[in-house]
Amino acid sequence: EARPVFILSLAKPILSGVVVRRSRRQFVAGAACPHLCVYPRRMRVATIDIGTNTVLLLVAERGRDGKLVAVREEATITRLGEGVDVARVLKPEAIERTRVCLESYARIVRTLAVDAISVVGTSAMRDAGGGDAIRSKVYELFGVDARTISGDEEASVTFHGALSGLALADGDVAVFDIGGGSTEIVQGSIVDGRAQAVRYAHSFDVGSVRMTERHVRSDPPSADELSALASQVRAAFSSVPAPKAGTRVVGIAGTITTLVAVALKMDPYDGARVHGHTLPRETIVALIASLSAMPLAIRKTSCGLEPKRADVIVAGAIIASVVCEVLGAEALIASDRGVRWGLAEALLSTR
């Protein structure tokens, strides 16, 4: 009776993970065997999003139902955009942190026998000099170019990635992505269960790292500092068009998922619980008040809050609150997905 056997070969990716079915007749490696049939496994892709604060990896493939399924996900805070808002150049130590992260991701990609990969850089690599060091490292490790995408393209990819797996009913939806250096706001609709018809998409130079570096000098931050930060964010978003009545608002990226994790006192982090969770704006406002009152050393110990994100979470939460205010939303739906998921969808759709 036939039985499945898995062959894994990192040296020959085209054979990696293939399923071999054979009869009871003995198969001798290298010999011709009419009973040998090779069935290729599902195509597997990897996407890497090199952000201002975090470098994200997704390895994914399509499930039997056609939906995108994660094989492996990683998120590493490297703070590539440290000081970029002022210096406009990537710091050597930030480049080194990101290099170490990328080397770790390359080992994962090789182990999982990925068929195609896409690597993009966002706000920090758009704004600063020194990105060639990152791009050359990406090519060395993955054999592909790291593409620095525009803010508007980032917004569009964000929209499609964020809605993946949320199972929202057809209708209008707004998606926002708070990064370390920028925030993308997209308005569109869901048609036949798929993200379509983007009507508005824009990237703003407003991010958790950028706003923290511009405004926060005290520990804990002063009321004046927080007020100035919020005022600048409101001014930046003043051009965002009012959404249609009944528009659902979806928030993504580390600020949002962290706020949900802190609100739920989640440790360890569970993306399945976060994805699709409804976070009221009043909860965000309460978290701003409590987190901003803590000295950084105490904030780092908060349940659900990754210590490396503690210094920028208050600015991120203020941005989230202002976006909800601008979009007229009393609550947001959290998404644990984003650019990397949109890129994976695009890779699989073209093959």
Side-chain angles (χ1 to χ4, degrees):
E1 184 176 323
R3 63 189 180 86
V5 179
F6 287 88
I7 295 175
L8 182 62
S9 169
L10 297 181
K12 297 180 180 180
I14 196 169
L15 292 179
S16 301
V18 297
V19 179
V20 179
R21 295 190 180 276
R22 58 182 179 177
S23 68
R24 288 179 181 273
R25 179 177 175 177
Q26 185 179 8
F27 172 65
V28 180
C33 178
H35 300 276
L36 180 66
C37 297
V38 179
Y39 301 92
R41 58 159 170 78
R42 296 182 183 90
M43 183 176 180
R44 181 173 289 174
V45 300
T47 59
I48 297 175
D49 174 5
I50 304 173
T52 300
N53 196 48
T54 310
V55 182
L56 300 161
L57 167 70
L58 169 68
V59 178
E61 60 190 23
R62 290 209 187 279
R64 293 186 178 182
D65 59 1
K67 294 180 180 178
L68 208 56
V69 177
V71 176
R72 179 79 175 263
E73 291 190 83
E74 297 288 337
T76 306
I77 294 176
T78 68
R79 196 64 62 85
L80 178 61
E82 180 185 0
V84 160
D85 189 52
V86 174
R88 296 290 164 174
V89 65
L90 301 177
K91 290 185 174 182
E93 54 268 37
I95 292 173
E96 176 62 16
R97 291 192 297 265
T98 304
R99 182 192 65 77
V100 171
C101 169
L102 291 172
E103 288 178 345
S104 171
Y105 288 180
R107 290 191 290 271
I108 293 170
V109 167
R110 286 194 297 271
T111 300
L112 295 178
V114 164
D115 301 294
I117 185 167
S118 178
V119 182
V120 300
T122 54
S123 179
M125 291 182 66
R126 284 196 297 267
D127 295 348
D132 287 347
I134 299 295
R135 282 184 278 271
S136 62
K137 176 55 66 173
V138 166
Y139 191 82
E140 173 191 328
L141 292 171
F142 303 102
V144 299
D145 293 322
R147 201 163 55 88
T148 302
I149 59 176
S150 69
D152 288 347
E153 182 180 357
E154 182 180 357
S156 179
V157 174
T158 292
F159 183 72
H160 290 86
L163 299 180
S164 173
L166 281 181
L168 296 179
D170 287 2
D172 295 309
V173 62
V175 173
F176 69 95
D177 175 355
I178 302 171
S182 65
T183 294
E184 287 67 49
I185 299 180
V186 191
Q187 296 181 23
S189 58
I190 299 173
V191 180
D192 296 330
R194 297 179 64 85
Q196 295 182 17
V198 172
R199 293 186 298 274
Y200 171 85
H202 192 71
S203 178
F204 299 87
D205 283 340
V206 171
S208 60
V209 174
R210 193 186 299 272
M211 291 297 101
T212 298
E213 291 182 349
R214 283 187 184 180
H215 294 284
V216 178
R217 300 288 181 270
S218 308
D219 182 23
S222 69
D224 288 344
E225 290 170 346
L226 298 181
S227 177
L229 193 160
S231 294
Q232 183 172 5
V233 173
R234 286 191 183 90
F237 295 154
S238 61
S239 62
V240 176
K244 296 180 180 179
T247 295
R248 281 79 47 91
V249 173
V250 175
I252 73 166
T255 289
I256 299 302
T257 57
T258 297
L259 291 174
V260 172
V262 174
L264 298 180
K265 300 188 183 305
M266 186 184 296
D267 187 20
Y269 179 82
D270 183 352
R273 286 181 66 197
V274 170
H275 197 59
H277 181 84
T278 298
L279 184 66
R281 181 172 175 245
E282 63 182 7
T283 300
I284 299 174
V285 172
L287 287 172
I288 293 169
S290 61
L291 292 170
S292 66
M294 301 176 188
L296 179 59
I298 302 300
R299 199 182 311 140
K300 286 181 176 180
T301 66
S302 298
C303 184
L305 176 56
E306 186 175 357
K308 288 184 179 180
R309 194 179 292 278
D311 59 334
V312 299
I313 189 60
V314 173
I318 290 173
I319 296 169
S321 177
V322 173
V323 172
C324 288
E325 176 187 313
V326 168
L327 296 176
E330 292 301 319
L332 62 85
I333 301 166
S335 172
D336 189 49
R337 303 183 178 184
V339 168
R340 64 200 185 282
W341 285 83
L343 293 171
E345 187 67 53
L347 275 179
L348 288 168
S349 296
T350 56
R351 286 168 167 81

